[in-house]
Amino acid sequence: MLRWNNDYNHGAHPAILQCLEQTNDTAYPGYGTDEPCEAARKEILKYLDNDAVDIHFLIGGTQVNYTMIAAALRPYQGVVCADSAHIHVHETGAVENTGHKILALPGVEGKLTAEAIRAEAEGYRTSGVQEHITQPKFVFLSHPSEYGTIYSKKELTDIRSVCDEYGLYLYVDGARMGYGLGADSADVTLADLAKLADAFYVGGTKCGAMFGEALVIANDALKDHFRSYMKQNGALLAKGWLLGLQFYTLFKDGLYFDITGHADVQAMRIRDAFRKKGIPFYIESNTNQQFVILTDEQMDKIGEKHIFEYESKLDDVHHVVRFCTSWSTNTEDVDVLLSDIEAL
Amino acid sequence: MLRWNNDYNHGAHPAILQCLEQTNDTAYPGYGTDEPCEAARKEILKYLDNDAVDIHFLIGGTQVNYTMIAAALRPYQGVVCADSAHIHVHETGAVENTGHKILALPGVEGKLTAEAIRAEAEGYRTSGVQEHITQPKFVFLSHPSEYGTIYSKKELTDIRSVCDEYGLYLYVDGARMGYGLGADSADVTLADLAKLADAFYVGGTKCGAMFGEALVIANDALKDHFRSYMKQNGALLAKGWLLGLQFYTLFKDGLYFDITGHADVQAMRIRDAFRKKGIPFYIESNTNQQFVILTDEQMDKIGEKHIFEYESKLDDVHHVVRFCTSWSTNTEDVDVLLSDIEAL
Amino acid sequence: MLRWNNDYNHGAHPAILQCLEQTNDTAYPGYGTDEPCEAARKEILKYLDNDAVDIHFLIGGTQVNYTMIAAALRPYQGVVCADSAHIHVHETGAVENTGHKILALPGVEGKLTAEAIRAEAEGYRTSGVQEHITQPKFVFLSHPSEYGTIYSKKELTDIRSVCDEYGLYLYVDGARMGYGLGADSADVTLADLAKLADAFYVGGTKCGAMFGEALVIANDALKDHFRSYMKQNGALLAKGWLLGLQFYTLFKDGLYFDITGHADVQAMRIRDAFRKKGIPFYIESNTNQQFVILTDEQMDKIGEKHIFEYESKLDDVHHVVRFCTSWSTNTEDVDVLLSDIEAL
Amino acid sequence: MLRWNNDYNHGAHPAILQCLEQTNDTAYPGYGTDEPCEAARKEILKYLDNDAVDIHFLIGGTQVNYTMIAAALRPYQGVVCADSAHIHVHETGAVENTGHKILALPGVEGKLTAEAIRAEAEGYRTSGVQEHITQPKFVFLSHPSEYGTIYSKKELTDIRSVCDEYGLYLYVDGARMGYGLGADSADVTLADLAKLADAFYVGGTKCGAMFGEALVIANDALKDHFRSYMKQNGALLAKGWLLGLQFYTLFKDGLYFDITGHADVQAMRIRDAFRKKGIPFYIESNTNQQFVILTDEQMDKIGEKHIFEYESKLDDVHHVVRFCTSWSTNTEDVDVLLSDIEAL
């Protein structure tokens, strides 16, 4: 069976394991104040055009999201996100567990729009009973979104304008950042994000690392005592250098972009195969997640050799399913999938 | 100017002030463990057909709601309510501040339906990734709802069935309970609530008291250490007997029902006047809140002598506004309003 | 039986009941944005020599304390207080329930010292592992303390200096403020507090009001969105004018100081009687709470006519007990107590 | 320079890296529901004599501690621990951040005593004002303690009796469990802990793993929905099998006990060297942490070749410092240290 169900079902890129092995006999001070973390920061900075950022390495996506939100917000402030956002539907109320309300707005293909954010912020500003309602303060985007769609530079710039106008923080969840940056339709770079967002993270777990996410904080107001928040939330890894080593390896010679770009190419091959076959998409995506609508029969047939993720039932015979490529996807495995799609 | 904007713009029923005065020289032990609270409990119990309940007196509605929720739920569990529910839109994230997610479902005329609750609970049960999502556990109803509508006994019984099936708590916010019980279309009594709900509160602040709400807990699982939760949440009034005295006064000879019933009668007079005039309702209500749709011109005209609450803009010339009666409403003031409606 | 067990066992000063009655037919907008609250603020301001403060009226002491702390602190920051402080031992973890650690330091006669605060703050500053420990940020004093002792102006000024040096907030819990200001040994005024503290509250519940506390916020950093915190914590009373009316009555002609000063005078009479009898004090107090050490026999004897509060067992035959006077204490009742002490 | 400052300054035991490499091309379902986690559970179970436990793999110690506490306690309940406990002094208020108060009691050589726990529990039971104080409910021990001392089976059994008598949970933080079990004076086994404790964790990070801790939950009341708590607290590692592989490797052939036992042996050599030299101990320890009292001069001298951890200043010329051995300690390095101690 070939696994296309998600993009975190393999260990790590071999270069990472190699690096961990080579340094295994070295003693480090830990907690992220070590040479490997410093070296990793330097490599990431090369892509940011902004030296005034803080970079922290955390362990997983849920943890980065709620720790950043807990650090950014006061108790009466909330998070604005699309109703499909991971923090709203798949993190067991981790954000609310920190005391903050999520103000979920209807997304468009999984994305928030500047207009929707503006309406929410303006609604608060003009409510007349501000002390009775949660202040929208933190805009949460995923790039790519839960549906694999990506923001254009224009869209991000428009959202930034609304954030500036209403004093909102703009944060980008980049669990699949590499796949977003590498999409053929992408016009957004890490340097753009370092300019437009107050904070964002560059995902490692789903993009070649064994585990780990690199959080970039650009806004000074969000930097204060962030390591205290990390410790308090179980996010200050004792052997912090393990994260530094991984991100150093991924960013040193652009490995991160090579392996996620490769995954995007393979995803486009799969997309084209479904298209050619006339199989409809639930939402069109240019990144490593492909959401197609299959019949019961098609699911059974393709399920003989392939594991994919079941998303939801559309009607009596149609279902939304997800196929993911990743940094670990083999071209040969994709060849097999393509011919099986063709044979549907 | 006559005030119809809400139902908590006057002090208290004169009998309450009189009672406070008569007892002002008496020393009490306080914290709700005193004769007046015990006496008030006895009077309320007469209406419940259920002696196995605990009754606590708290200060205000927001406080009752979040304290009860904090006491009932574990961190991974959430509250199911209508999207218009007070806890969701007008309590500054008080529930989330206790760490719990609100799962807001589309309401029907401000009310939750058994079907919607079932779909949510079933979605959790069959999700396959329960550890990633908030467990719906606490069903929050308002009776009457934010729009003045009330649940029928049939509707409550159906909701109770769903709660039993899925192990959910059923809680009823009764900030305006008196107006709900006294509606001409009402078939629900306090005894019904004591049987159908796990907990509910009987509102005082909006129903004749100076301040205070009587929380009735029927389910043993929700009774444990509730006074500890009250203290922790600032809800254990030092001079607790003040609450006991008020509720004793309100319930002793049925005063509570008399004064809220009177308000409902006056509200029906207002409703009929608008109807007769052909002025449309936003939502039809049989209780003390009336939501009508007025034009700019009508708002200006009626606004010359009357203060009402602006709710929302419907279109360029139409607006939703609210007229409330209350325990303190004079028949004569209503006469004035009626003739001014007539004159529109 | 005469009750000396605490200072909140009676309703309210008659002038307050009278005021509530006179205004009972008036309609007010509520939530603290009404004429009575504004009028009360003006009366209190006359004592502050500082017009740049915000004044909010809340319902009870636990509520004021944790709401102010929740508003002031970030999640990694904690509260410094004496180990006998009410928030540490008698508020059911209300502060921790908002997520903040209490750093309790040994008190001297119930009071914090500038030296102890400095040692704690310096310990944090020089720890070298700040991200692993709670930052001391909010200094919590009670004036008078739990043992009836009061801070001198010199002590408060020294504490203020430490707070300035280390960037700490200074907050004073004034549940019994009147009794502290009126002590014969007192050299601290409300104006001093408005200059030295970042925030403090003037207690009503124990000082003549039916209920209510007046929170004075002097530091701009603590003012922001405070009403949102109030609403979120159930502290924004719907009929807010009830609090305004009470504090207006108490402060208009100095009634507050008259009635608490009277209580102090009576307490000194009781103190002198115990002294004359050779009965030892647990801690010497110049305010309305007197802590004496009685034998079993003495407790039985005095307990025949008087209710006092049992504090703790010292040894096999000695016990610490508390006698309180209050705004409602009659001179004649004290006469009875004095002769019963004399007769021991 | 040789590093003795802590026991988490090296990567992982080579067998672990080897295992990660061998499985790197295998696809797993993740989130701890995979073969490696199941296999690791089986290996650990062999040491427990108790099949009715749940075993979860989390990432770090702070995270295990606060997640378990958040899962176990209701908001009015608190944690009893020694005043030197890690959760009290070095986890940035992580426990309070979940809303729970820590009730710190004076420790004896870093350990809690049954008597102290009993006094606290009895104080609550007999307080008469339970609703005003935090209920002690969760007893937190570290084995070994922060000072390297270990509990005897007798001590644990006595504590268990108190816990049974008062309905308290007993939890053991085993960040350095291996070093405790392997001490020459140890009479406690994992099977004993599985019988005496409601939950405990077996530390990996400090005992040979790259990262990870194995939480064993024996009490059914603490098992419910624990994976939901893990997800909510960022503790459900996406690639959960990484933890399973590590613990499988450590427990399969007793490697865990071999390598921590070796560290204990080396620590005893260091202890004996200090003893022989007449250098006093701050607290005597039979495990991998040795706390000695050095003069300024001795610190300088030994500091020429060795990195140790500075703990605290005792007086003008004496200081407490810590030397740690670990699973990665070389006998040869210890030889060097011994001769340098000898030369002091």
Side-chain angles (χ1 to χ4, degrees):
Chain A
M1 298 292 281
L2 298 175
R3 277 190 180 272
W4 311 94
N5 60 316
N6 65 36
D7 35 21
Y8 47 92
N9 55 29
H10 275 76
H13 190 277
I16 282 178
L17 274 184
Q18 200 181 340
C19 174
L20 292 177
E21 217 169 318
Q22 285 167 352
T23 56
N24 196 46
D25 288 339
T26 312
Y28 292 107
Y31 296 120
T33 60
D34 36 59
E35 305 85 345
C37 286
E38 209 37 58
R41 287 184 190 101
K42 277 192 187 134
E43 294 300 329
I44 293 174
L45 278 175
K46 290 179 184 166
Y47 295 90
L48 300 189
D49 273 7
N50 179 352
D51 279 357
V53 301
D54 280 359
I55 301 179
H56 300 281
F57 301 104
L58 290 87
I59 300 156
T62 298
Q63 185 182 75
V64 183
N65 290 336
Y66 80 73
T67 303
M68 183 75 258
I69 288 168
L73 297 187
R74 310 302 316 234
Y76 63 89
Q77 300 175 325
V79 178
V80 176
C81 66
D83 47 13
S84 56
H86 207 254
I87 53 167
H88 187 52
V89 295
H90 274 116
E91 296 187 357
T92 328
V95 169
E96 289 86 355
N97 189 45
T98 71
H100 299 289
K101 192 176 185 69
I102 289 178
L103 304 159
L105 307 181
V108 176
E109 302 200 331
K111 298 190 290 178
L112 263 184
T113 63
E115 291 69 34
I117 300 168
R118 173 187 300 280
E120 182 74 17
E122 179 68 11
Y124 179 75
R125 198 180 66 77
T126 60
S127 76
V129 289
Q130 291 194 348
E131 59 267 51
H132 295 255
I133 56 182
T134 298
Q135 183 188 41
K137 181 69 181 177
F138 188 101
V139 174
F140 176 99
L141 310 181
S142 297
H143 183 81
S145 78
E146 305 298 320
Y147 290 114
T149 51
I150 55 176
Y151 290 86
S152 69
K153 198 165 169 180
K154 170 72 166 60
E155 288 171 327
L156 285 182
T157 306
D158 288 350
I159 290 175
R160 177 74 260 174
S161 294
V162 174
C163 290
D164 286 342
E165 193 177 337
Y166 290 92
L168 312 180
Y169 295 125
L170 177 56
Y171 170 84
V172 181
D173 174 328
R176 297 187 170 93
M177 183 65 84
Y179 307 118
L181 299 173
D184 49 24
S185 60
D187 68 348
V188 171
T189 65
L190 288 180
D192 293 329
L193 288 170
K195 210 173 72 181
L196 293 169
D198 293 292
F200 64 97
Y201 82 85
V202 180
T205 301
K206 294 175 178 165
C207 299
M210 189 177 277
F211 63 93
E213 324 292 328
L215 174 65
V216 179
I217 305 183
N219 185 331
D220 286 347
L222 301 183
K223 293 175 183 171
D224 186 46
H225 278 84
F226 194 76
R227 284 169 58 78
S228 297
Y229 290 105
M230 288 173 65
K231 178 63 185 169
Q232 186 174 63
N233 287 290
L236 196 62
L237 192 67
K239 302 183 184 174
W241 67 85
L242 296 173
L243 294 161
L245 291 172
Q246 294 186 73
F247 276 94
Y248 176 76
T249 304
L250 287 171
F251 275 82
K252 196 177 43 153
D253 299 312
L255 177 64
Y256 186 79
F257 303 96
D258 293 344
I259 62 180
T260 52
H262 164 76
D264 281 338
V265 168
Q266 300 307 318
M268 294 306 92
R269 291 179 65 207
I270 296 171
R271 181 192 63 180
D272 293 346
F274 278 121
R275 251 192 209 157
K276 200 169 147 197
K277 197 69 191 176
I279 286 172
F281 292 84
Y282 180 62
I283 283 181
E284 295 251 353
S285 149
N286 288 330
T287 63
N288 75 314
Q289 300 178 86
Q290 295 297 316
F291 296 86
V292 291
I293 298 171
L294 299 184
T295 62
D296 285 311
E297 196 182 355
Q298 289 169 331
M299 278 175 61
D300 287 349
K301 184 77 187 151
I302 204 100
E304 288 169 9
K305 279 197 288 188
H306 305 274
I307 296 173
F308 46 85
E309 189 169 278
Y310 185 83
E311 294 286 322
S312 61
K313 185 171 177 164
L314 268 196
D315 61 38
D316 275 0
V317 292
H318 293 88
H319 309 267
V320 182
V321 304
R322 181 179 75 161
F323 288 80
C324 288
T325 61
S326 82
W327 58 274
S328 66
T329 299
N330 289 319
T331 308
E332 296 71 29
D333 289 346
V334 178
D335 291 343
V336 174
L337 176 58
L338 296 199
S339 75
D340 289 340
I341 293 171
E342 166 106 62
L344 280 176
Chain B
M1 297 290 281
L2 298 175
R3 278 190 179 271
W4 311 94
N5 60 315
N6 65 35
D7 35 21
Y8 47 94
N9 54 31
H10 275 76
H13 190 277
I16 282 178
L17 274 183
Q18 200 180 339
C19 176
L20 292 177
E21 219 167 318
Q22 285 167 349
T23 56
N24 197 44
D25 287 338
T26 312
Y28 292 108
Y31 296 119
T33 59
D34 36 59
E35 304 85 346
C37 286
E38 209 36 58
R41 285 184 191 102
K42 276 189 190 138
E43 293 300 330
I44 294 175
L45 278 175
K46 291 179 185 168
Y47 295 90
L48 300 188
D49 272 6
N50 179 351
D51 279 357
V53 302
D54 280 0
I55 301 181
H56 301 280
F57 301 104
L58 290 87
I59 301 155
T62 298
Q63 186 182 77
V64 184
N65 290 336
Y66 79 74
T67 302
M68 183 75 258
I69 288 168
L73 297 186
R74 309 302 316 233
Y76 63 89
Q77 299 175 326
V79 179
V80 176
C81 67
D83 47 12
S84 57
H86 208 254
I87 53 166
H88 187 51
V89 297
H90 274 116
E91 297 186 358
T92 327
V95 170
E96 289 86 355
N97 189 44
T98 71
H100 298 289
K101 191 175 186 71
I102 290 178
L103 303 159
L105 307 181
V108 176
E109 301 200 332
K111 297 191 290 178
L112 262 185
T113 63
E115 292 68 35
I117 299 167
R118 175 188 298 279
E120 183 73 18
E122 179 69 10
Y124 179 75
R125 198 180 66 78
T126 59
S127 76
V129 288
Q130 291 194 348
E131 60 266 53
H132 296 253
I133 57 183
T134 298
Q135 183 188 42
K137 181 70 182 174
F138 188 102
V139 174
F140 175 99
L141 310 181
S142 297
H143 183 82
S145 77
E146 305 298 320
Y147 289 113
T149 50
I150 54 175
Y151 289 86
S152 68
K153 198 165 169 180
K154 170 73 167 58
E155 287 171 328
L156 286 183
T157 306
D158 289 350
I159 291 175
R160 178 73 260 173
S161 295
V162 174
C163 290
D164 285 341
E165 192 178 339
Y166 290 94
L168 312 180
Y169 295 124
L170 177 56
Y171 169 84
V172 180
D173 174 328
R176 297 187 170 92
M177 183 65 83
Y179 306 118
L181 299 172
D184 49 24
S185 61
D187 68 348
V188 171
T189 65
L190 287 181
D192 293 329
L193 289 169
K195 209 172 74 179
L196 294 169
D198 294 291
F200 64 97
Y201 82 85
V202 181
T205 301
K206 294 175 177 165
C207 299
M210 191 178 275
F211 63 94
E213 324 293 327
L215 175 64
V216 178
I217 306 184
N219 184 329
D220 286 346
L222 301 184
K223 293 174 183 171
D224 186 46
H225 278 85
F226 194 77
R227 283 169 58 80
S228 297
Y229 291 105
M230 287 174 65
K231 177 63 184 170
Q232 185 174 63
N233 287 289
L236 195 62
L237 193 67
K239 302 184 185 175
W241 67 85
L242 296 173
L243 293 162
L245 292 171
Q246 294 186 73
F247 275 94
Y248 176 76
T249 305
L250 287 172
F251 275 81
K252 197 178 40 153
D253 299 314
L255 178 64
Y256 187 79
F257 304 95
D258 293 344
I259 61 180
T260 52
H262 164 77
D264 282 337
V265 169
Q266 300 307 317
M268 294 306 92
R269 293 179 65 209
I270 296 171
R271 182 192 62 179
D272 293 346
F274 279 121
R275 252 192 208 158
K276 198 169 147 196
K277 198 67 191 177
I279 286 172
F281 293 84
Y282 180 61
I283 283 181
E284 293 254 354
S285 149
N286 287 330
T287 64
N288 76 314
Q289 301 178 85
Q290 296 297 315
F291 296 85
V292 290
I293 298 171
L294 298 185
T295 61
D296 286 311
E297 199 182 353
Q298 289 169 330
M299 278 174 60
D300 287 350
K301 185 75 186 153
I302 204 100
E304 286 169 10
K305 279 197 286 188
H306 304 275
I307 297 174
F308 46 83
E309 189 169 278
Y310 185 84
E311 294 286 323
S312 60
K313 186 171 176 165
L314 268 196
D315 60 39
D316 275 1
V317 292
H318 292 89
H319 309 267
V320 182
V321 304
R322 182 179 75 163
F323 287 81
C324 288
T325 61
S326 82
W327 58 274
S328 66
T329 298
N330 290 318
T331 309
E332 298 71 31
D333 290 346
V334 178
D335 292 342
V336 176
L337 176 58
L338 296 197
S339 75
D340 289 340
I341 292 172
E342 165 107 61
L344 280 176
Chain C
M1 297 292 281
L2 298 175
R3 278 190 180 271
W4 312 93
N5 60 316
N6 65 35
D7 35 20
Y8 47 92
N9 54 29
H10 275 77
H13 190 277
I16 281 177
L17 275 184
Q18 199 180 340
C19 176
L20 293 178
E21 217 168 318
Q22 285 167 350
T23 56
N24 196 44
D25 287 340
T26 313
Y28 292 108
Y31 297 119
T33 59
D34 36 60
E35 304 84 346
C37 287
E38 209 38 58
R41 285 184 192 102
K42 276 190 188 137
E43 293 300 329
I44 294 175
L45 277 175
K46 290 178 184 167
Y47 295 89
L48 300 188
D49 272 7
N50 180 350
D51 280 358
V53 303
D54 279 0
I55 301 180
H56 300 281
F57 301 104
L58 290 85
I59 299 155
T62 298
Q63 184 182 77
V64 183
N65 290 337
Y66 80 72
T67 303
M68 182 76 258
I69 288 167
L73 297 186
R74 309 304 315 236
Y76 63 90
Q77 300 176 325
V79 179
V80 176
C81 67
D83 46 14
S84 56
H86 207 254
I87 52 166
H88 188 50
V89 296
H90 274 116
E91 297 187 356
T92 327
V95 169
E96 289 87 355
N97 189 45
T98 70
H100 298 289
K101 190 175 187 69
I102 289 179
L103 303 159
L105 307 180
V108 176
E109 302 199 332
K111 296 191 290 178
L112 261 185
T113 63
E115 292 69 35
I117 300 167
R118 174 188 299 281
E120 182 74 17
E122 180 68 11
Y124 179 75
R125 198 182 65 78
T126 60
S127 76
V129 288
Q130 292 194 347
E131 59 267 52
H132 296 253
I133 56 183
T134 298
Q135 183 187 42
K137 181 69 182 176
F138 188 100
V139 174
F140 176 98
L141 311 181
S142 297
H143 184 80
S145 77
E146 305 299 320
Y147 290 112
T149 52
I150 55 174
Y151 290 86
S152 69
K153 196 165 169 180
K154 169 73 167 60
E155 288 172 327
L156 286 182
T157 306
D158 288 351
I159 290 174
R160 177 73 261 171
S161 293
V162 175
C163 290
D164 286 341
E165 192 178 338
Y166 290 93
L168 311 180
Y169 295 124
L170 178 55
Y171 170 84
V172 181
D173 175 327
R176 297 185 169 94
M177 183 63 85
Y179 307 118
L181 299 173
D184 49 24
S185 62
D187 69 347
V188 170
T189 64
L190 287 181
D192 293 330
L193 288 170
K195 210 172 74 181
L196 293 168
D198 294 293
F200 65 98
Y201 82 85
V202 181
T205 301
K206 294 175 178 166
C207 300
M210 188 178 280
F211 63 93
E213 325 292 328
L215 174 65
V216 179
I217 305 183
N219 184 330
D220 287 347
L222 302 183
K223 293 174 183 170
D224 186 46
H225 278 84
F226 193 77
R227 285 170 57 79
S228 297
Y229 291 105
M230 288 174 64
K231 177 63 185 169
Q232 186 175 62
N233 288 289
L236 195 63
L237 192 66
K239 302 183 184 174
W241 67 86
L242 295 173
L243 293 161
L245 291 171
Q246 294 186 75
F247 276 94
Y248 176 76
T249 304
L250 287 172
F251 275 82
K252 197 177 42 152
D253 298 313
L255 178 64
Y256 187 78
F257 303 95
D258 294 344
I259 61 179
T260 53
H262 164 76
D264 282 337
V265 168
Q266 300 307 318
M268 293 306 91
R269 293 179 64 208
I270 296 170
R271 182 192 62 181
D272 293 345
F274 279 120
R275 253 192 207 159
K276 199 169 147 196
K277 197 67 191 174
I279 286 173
F281 292 84
Y282 179 63
I283 283 181
E284 295 251 355
S285 149
N286 288 330
T287 63
N288 76 314
Q289 300 178 86
Q290 295 297 316
F291 296 85
V292 291
I293 298 172
L294 299 185
T295 62
D296 285 312
E297 199 183 353
Q298 290 169 330
M299 278 174 60
D300 286 350
K301 185 76 188 151
I302 204 98
E304 287 169 9
K305 278 197 288 188
H306 304 275
I307 297 173
F308 47 85
E309 189 169 279
Y310 185 83
E311 294 286 323
S312 59
K313 185 173 177 161
L314 267 195
D315 60 38
D316 274 1
V317 292
H318 292 90
H319 309 267
V320 183
V321 305
R322 182 178 74 162
F323 287 80
C324 289
T325 61
S326 81
W327 59 274
S328 67
T329 299
N330 289 320
T331 309
E332 297 71 31
D333 290 346
V334 178
D335 292 342
V336 175
L337 177 59
L338 295 198
S339 75
D340 290 339
I341 292 172
E342 167 105 61
L344 279 177
Chain D
M1 297 293 279
L2 299 175
R3 277 190 180 272
W4 311 94
N5 60 315
N6 65 35
D7 35 21
Y8 47 92
N9 54 30
H10 275 76
H13 190 278
I16 282 178
L17 275 184
Q18 201 181 338
C19 175
L20 293 178
E21 216 168 319
Q22 284 166 350
T23 56
N24 196 45
D25 287 340
T26 312
Y28 291 109
Y31 296 119
T33 59
D34 36 59
E35 304 85 346
C37 286
E38 209 37 59
R41 285 184 192 103
K42 277 189 188 139
E43 293 300 328
I44 294 174
L45 278 175
K46 291 179 184 168
Y47 295 90
L48 300 189
D49 272 6
N50 180 349
D51 279 358
V53 301
D54 279 0
I55 301 179
H56 300 281
F57 301 104
L58 290 86
I59 300 154
T62 298
Q63 185 182 77
V64 183
N65 290 336
Y66 79 73
T67 302
M68 182 76 258
I69 289 168
L73 297 186
R74 309 303 316 235
Y76 63 89
Q77 301 176 324
V79 179
V80 176
C81 66
D83 47 13
S84 56
H86 207 253
I87 53 166
H88 188 51
V89 296
H90 273 116
E91 296 187 355
T92 327
V95 169
E96 290 86 355
N97 189 46
T98 70
H100 299 289
K101 191 176 186 68
I102 289 178
L103 304 159
L105 307 180
V108 176
E109 302 201 331
K111 296 191 289 178
L112 262 185
T113 64
E115 292 69 35
I117 299 167
R118 175 188 300 279
E120 182 74 17
E122 180 68 11
Y124 179 75
R125 198 180 64 79
T126 60
S127 76
V129 288
Q130 292 195 346
E131 59 267 51
H132 296 254
I133 56 182
T134 298
Q135 183 188 43
K137 181 69 181 175
F138 188 101
V139 174
F140 176 99
L141 310 181
S142 297
H143 183 79
S145 78
E146 305 299 320
Y147 290 113
T149 51
I150 54 175
Y151 290 86
S152 69
K153 197 164 168 181
K154 170 73 167 59
E155 288 172 327
L156 286 182
T157 306
D158 289 351
I159 290 175
R160 176 74 260 170
S161 294
V162 175
C163 290
D164 285 341
E165 192 178 338
Y166 290 93
L168 312 180
Y169 295 124
L170 177 56
Y171 170 84
V172 181
D173 174 329
R176 296 186 171 93
M177 184 63 85
Y179 306 118
L181 300 173
D184 48 25
S185 61
D187 69 346
V188 171
T189 65
L190 288 181
D192 293 330
L193 289 169
K195 209 172 74 181
L196 294 168
D198 294 293
F200 65 97
Y201 81 85
V202 181
T205 301
K206 293 174 177 167
C207 300
M210 190 178 275
F211 63 94
E213 325 292 327
L215 175 65
V216 179
I217 306 183
N219 185 330
D220 286 347
L222 302 183
K223 292 174 183 170
D224 187 44
H225 277 85
F226 194 78
R227 284 169 58 79
S228 296
Y229 291 105
M230 288 175 65
K231 178 62 185 171
Q232 186 175 62
N233 288 288
L236 195 62
L237 192 67
K239 300 182 185 175
W241 66 85
L242 296 172
L243 294 162
L245 292 171
Q246 294 186 73
F247 276 93
Y248 176 76
T249 304
L250 287 172
F251 275 81
K252 197 178 42 154
D253 298 313
L255 177 64
Y256 187 78
F257 303 95
D258 294 344
I259 60 180
T260 53
H262 164 77
D264 281 338
V265 168
Q266 300 307 319
M268 293 306 91
R269 292 179 65 206
I270 295 171
R271 182 192 63 180
D272 293 346
F274 278 121
R275 254 192 206 159
K276 198 169 147 198
K277 198 69 193 176
I279 286 172
F281 292 84
Y282 180 61
I283 283 182
E284 294 252 354
S285 149
N286 288 330
T287 62
N288 75 314
Q289 302 179 83
Q290 295 297 314
F291 295 85
V292 291
I293 298 172
L294 299 185
T295 62
D296 285 312
E297 198 182 353
Q298 288 168 330
M299 278 175 60
D300 286 351
K301 185 75 186 151
I302 203 97
E304 286 170 8
K305 279 197 288 189
H306 304 274
I307 296 173
F308 47 84
E309 190 169 276
Y310 185 83
E311 293 287 322
S312 60
K313 186 173 176 161
L314 268 195
D315 61 36
D316 275 3
V317 292
H318 292 89
H319 309 267
V320 182
V321 304
R322 181 178 75 162
F323 287 80
C324 289
T325 61
S326 82
W327 59 274
S328 67
T329 298
N330 289 319
T331 309
E332 297 72 31
D333 290 346
V334 177
D335 292 342
V336 175
L337 176 59
L338 295 198
S339 74
D340 290 340
I341 292 172
E342 166 106 63
L344 279 176

